[in-house]
Amino acid sequence: MKKIGTIERYQEFLPKIREDFIISLNEGNTPLILAESLPKIINKKNLKLYYKFEGLNPTGSFKDRGMTLAISKAFENGAKAVICASTGNTSASAAAYSSRCGLRCYVLIPEGKIAKGKLLQAYRYGAKVIMVKGNFDQALQIAKELSKNEGIELVNSINPYRIEGQKTASYEIIDDLGEAPDYHVLPVGNAGNITAYWRGYKEYNSIGKSKKLPKMLGFQAEGSAPLVKNKIIDKPETIATAIRIGNPASWNGAITARNESGGLIDSVSDLEITYAYKFLAEKEGIFAEPASAASVAGVIKLANNGYFKEESIIVMTLTGSGLKDPDFALSFDDKIEVVDANYNSVKSILKG
Ligand code: F0G
């Protein structure tokens, strides 16, 4: 059977991995979905907007694109164990790919600050889950040291294979649109993804697959916006726990992507993220996690400020699935009704 994951699909642009060592769950090839309602609420007829929905990857986030490479390489190199710090999605992905090839997987997560679905994934895929009484930045520091001293492969995005794999999302967008978009928008946490997308766009452009390059627009959560404030945030806070990061590992990559592309890195408030999160589900039929909604919140903010003047194509990455965070999904006022099991009780609830 033909394999169709990231590595096989784009092997000519990726580091070589011997076929017997490829660990794949058929990741990538996610849909580019036309926004139906967003142009209406921002009242901009000059914009064509798309969602690149990465929540449809095998473990429900974009991390799978790079994890297939990082784990395959670790496996090929004879590693016995891998380690990562994570706000949740990296750990879910690392655990899944490790389980497929018998690698021991250690995940360090900030206690109480990861979405329940992500915790369950890492746990059920069989990783050793270690809760750290601190934040992601502290956990990453420990993971880096353990990797160096104990000979365990680090599979955070500092691992070069992660970024290599993640850049394939840009290839897919150009393959789908036949050209690069004018703007590419994505949430920024540890800043690996914006670094990867920019690399992907530049590489495809350099071999003539696109004529233009997009402006890269990154959005951090207001309480976790070190790149916007240009300083490390010791105690990052946001409801979007996936991007609750105060000292991004790929800081320079993000700044380079912004500067070379002529884009920007800005922040959005938790309120704006929450609005976009609800909007996506209730008006677009797309259930993405809170961090993903930062892309959409960012576009709404910029559009309202008159940023997009010309006819433009805009792609927003929706990085993970809304199913990962049931607690946040159920935290709103519109409560679920419980009624007696008869016709009239149910009918009394209908609005017509
Ligand atoms: N969106 C989601 C859903 C994420 O899980 C992450 C990062 C990001 C956006 C930001 O991407 O770090 O490349 O800038 N999650 C990491 C993790 C940190 O551990 O799962 P980034």
Side-chain angles (χ1 to χ4, degrees), residues 62-63 85-90 118 136 166 187-194 242-243 245 289 291-292 319-320:
F62 69 96
K63 306 287 181 178
S86 181
T87 56
N89 282 322
T90 297
K118 303 173 187 180
F136 169 84
Q166 283 174 211
V188 175
N190 213 23
N193 216 24
I194 192 169
I243 52 172
I245 294 175
E289 67 173 283
S292 306
T319 42

Side-chain angles (χ1 to χ4, degrees), residues 67 71 81-99 103-111 114 118-133 136 139-140 142-143 146 152-156:
M67 203 55 78
I71 297 294
V82 300
I83 190 166
C84 66
S86 181
T87 56
N89 282 322
T90 297
S91 59
S93 187
Y97 285 79
S98 297
S99 79
L103 276 175
R104 188 124 184 81
C105 178
Y106 300 103
V107 307
L108 272 54
I109 54 174
E111 189 197 20
I114 93 164
K118 303 173 187 180
L119 174 65
L120 295 181
Q121 283 181 293
Y123 177 58
R124 283 271 53 96
Y125 289 132
K128 180 71 193 163
V129 177
I130 304 162
M131 294 228 184
V132 176
K133 292 180 182 169
F136 169 84
L140 180 58
I142 299 166
L146 282 169
I152 308 170
E153 200 72 43
L154 187 72
V155 293
N156 278 103

Side-chain angles (χ1 to χ4, degrees), residues 170-199:
S170 300
Y171 297 170
E172 287 177 14
I173 291 164
I174 293 172
D175 286 344
D176 281 352
L177 293 175
E179 183 49 87
D182 298 293
Y183 298 92
H184 190 105
V185 194
L186 69 182
V188 175
N190 213 23
N193 216 24
I194 192 169
T195 305
Y197 269 82
W198 182 235
R199 185 185 296 176

Side-chain angles (χ1 to χ4, degrees), residues 64 80 90 93 106 112 136 195 204 211 239-240 272 307 312:
D64 296 340
K80 295 279 176 286
T90 297
S93 187
Y106 300 103
F136 169 84
T195 305
Y204 241 32
K211 292 196 181 57
I239 50 107
E272 290 170 308
Y307 178 80
S312 303

Side-chain angles (χ1 to χ4, degrees), residues 15 69-70 153-154 156-165 199:
L69 265 106
E153 200 72 43
L154 187 72
N156 278 103
S157 57
I158 311 157
N159 179 318
Y161 296 106
R162 284 278 314 282
I163 306 271
E164 278 294 294
R199 185 185 296 176

Side-chain angles (χ1 to χ4, degrees), residues 194-266:
I194 192 169
T195 305
Y197 269 82
W198 182 235
R199 185 185 296 176
Y201 278 125
K202 282 202 298 186
E203 286 182 0
Y204 241 32
N205 180 261
S206 74
I207 58 164
K209 295 263 193 183
S210 71
K211 292 196 181 57
K212 58 187 176 194
L213 287 165
K215 289 185 171 28
M216 302 299 292
L217 311 178
F219 285 91
Q220 303 201 285
E222 215 164 72
S224 306
L227 298 173
V228 181
K229 302 208 162 99
N230 196 25
K231 66 170 202 291
I232 293 169
I233 308 292
D234 287 330
K235 292 197 170 67
E237 276 310 336
T238 168
I239 50 107
T241 51
I243 52 172
R244 188 174 168 273
I245 294 175
N247 186 12
S250 296
W251 190 302
N252 292 338
I255 299 301
T256 302
R258 178 194 70 189
N259 293 351
E260 286 184 358
S261 73
L264 56 80
I265 298 176
D266 197 355

